[in-house]
Amino acid sequence: MTEIVPVSGPELVTYADELAALMIEAVEGGASVGFLAPLDRAAAAAWWRERAAAVGEGSQQVWIARDDERVAGTIGLVRTALPNARHRAEVAKLMVRPSARGRGVGRALLAALERWASTEGLTLLVLDTETGSDAEHLYRAAGWTECGSVPGYAADPYGTPRATTFYYRTLGPAESTAQ
């Protein structure tokens, strides 16, 4: 059974090596999560450890999916410090271990993040993903709204620029956008 749990700053340091392995699997599998292949394990673990302070201070949240005490997936939420944007946050680094895909792990991680964000008073979530990726199917099925794409926005793990599609999800009363 998969359990979704939030991770504290010190716990993130503890999980850094396992999360690094997950990130390497994702990058090797072609996921565009901000890193190029081949991804060095020490660099990936250091990236996760560097997030611990932000998690500790509350500007970032991280959840993991544990499957038989092994990390099967992760998702993050990055809040902004801008006074006019405290109602929104960005979803970051949704990754599911290839062996755990197709079992609802990604959907469960996304749902846990959305529940938490709603209880924190966030009313708007945004994210981006490589256009045409499997992740797009997940976001659409979970009720996210596509709001556009930018060609060549980010490179895939092999360094080739790819289009990125942006999505949003409103969690509470949204201000009217009628003009």
Side-chain angles (χ1 to χ4, degrees), residues 68-93:
D68 297 324
E69 297 306 314
R70 182 175 182 216
V71 173
T74 187
I75 193 169
L77 187 72
V78 180
R79 298 181 80 161
T80 181
L82 297 171
N84 72 338
R86 292 192 178 133
H87 65 287
R88 66 175 162 88
E90 181 179 355
V91 176
K93 306 289 184 270

Side-chain angles (χ1 to χ4, degrees), residues 28 41 44 94 171-172:
E28 287 176 355
R41 188 178 182 106
L94 173 56
L171 299 177

Side-chain angles (χ1 to χ4, degrees), residues 12-139:
L12 188 58
V13 172
T14 301
Y15 281 109
D17 287 332
E18 240 185 303
L19 288 165
L22 169 61
M23 186 179 284
I24 289 167
E25 284 184 36
V27 169
E28 287 176 355
S32 182
V33 292
F35 295 90
L36 299 175
L39 178 55
D40 177 71
R41 188 178 182 106
W47 186 89
W48 284 105
R49 284 192 294 278
E50 290 166 5
R51 312 271 86 66
V55 170
E57 70 187 22
S59 62
Q60 186 169 352
Q61 282 70 40
V62 174
W63 290 262
I64 60 168
R66 289 193 301 214
D67 193 359
D68 297 324
E69 297 306 314
R70 182 175 182 216
V71 173
T74 187
I75 193 169
L77 187 72
V78 180
R79 298 181 80 161
T80 181
L82 297 171
N84 72 338
R86 292 192 178 133
H87 65 287
R88 66 175 162 88
E90 181 179 355
V91 176
K93 306 289 184 270
L94 173 56
M95 294 179 277
V96 176
R97 200 174 285 285
S99 62
R101 291 184 187 151
R103 297 189 324 213
V105 174
R107 184 74 177 259
L109 283 161
L110 193 56
L113 177 146
E114 290 173 7
R115 280 191 303 276
W116 182 89
S118 184
T119 65
E120 290 294 306
L122 296 172
T123 58
L124 178 66
L125 299 177
V126 296
L127 62 81
D128 66 81
T129 191
E130 184 178 324
T131 303
S133 68
D134 289 340
E136 281 197 288
H137 304 293
L138 168 66
Y139 299 132

